Amino acid sequence: MTVRSGDHPAGIERFVAANQAALEEIAADCLRGSQTAARYKGVEIEGVFPGEHRIVQFFSGGFGLAPASTYCGFYYSEDGVPAAYQNVDVPLTPAGENRWRWSDGTDNGGVTRRITEHWFSYRAWF
């Protein structure tokens, strides 16, 4: 099973559920600083994004050309706390059950959804 950007968020949720054990091993390796792979089943492992609550982000696809691009993927939150794209320090606003939005005050923004206790999907636009 692979992820396509058009599958978001349902396809991402299925991908994480089907590969959760392997993805958690990858996330743990990244958090320990011993990541070896750059991709897993067609998904790019972007690595650890530091902050108050560290995340390991995975990129599954995108579309558009700058300055009108959208990126999709998912991330592992070490503490189970939702985050903005690449864990940038912007506030999240609740946007429904297990869903949050963020914006940097411009037309850049995104949405994140909880998949499981530590896993979230994201869509970010710039």
Side-chain angles (χ1 to χ4, degrees), residues 85-108:
Y85 178 72
Q86 295 184 340
N87 210 8
V88 294
D89 188 20
V90 296
L92 297 176
T93 304
E97 186 174 345
N98 292 318
R99 185 176 168 179
W100 299 264
R101 290 188 176 278
W102 65 271
S103 175
D104 68 357
T106 67
D107 58 350
N108 299 334

Side-chain angles (χ1 to χ4, degrees), residues 8 69-73 84-85 102 108-111 122-126:
H8 183 78
S69 301
T70 299
Y71 303 109
C72 302
Y85 178 72
W102 65 271
N108 299 334
V111 64
Y122 73 84
R123 182 176 287 240
W125 48 85
F126 303 94

Side-chain angles (χ1 to χ4, degrees), residues 33-107:
S34 57
Q35 174 190 357
T36 57
R39 298 185 80 69
Y40 176 77
K41 293 189 175 184
V43 173
E44 181 183 345
I45 304 163
E46 292 187 277
V48 177
F49 287 86
E52 184 178 348
H53 305 281
R54 296 188 308 168
I55 67 168
V56 178
Q57 188 165 295
F58 299 78
F59 173 76
S60 62
F63 50 91
L65 299 172
S69 301
T70 299
Y71 303 109
C72 302
F74 54 95
Y75 60 94
Y76 176 85
S77 171
E78 185 174 32
D79 299 330
V81 176
Y85 178 72
Q86 295 184 340
N87 210 8
V88 294
D89 188 20
V90 296
L92 297 176
T93 304
E97 186 174 345
N98 292 318
R99 185 176 168 179
W100 299 264
R101 290 188 176 278
W102 65 271
S103 175
D104 68 357
T106 67
D107 58 350

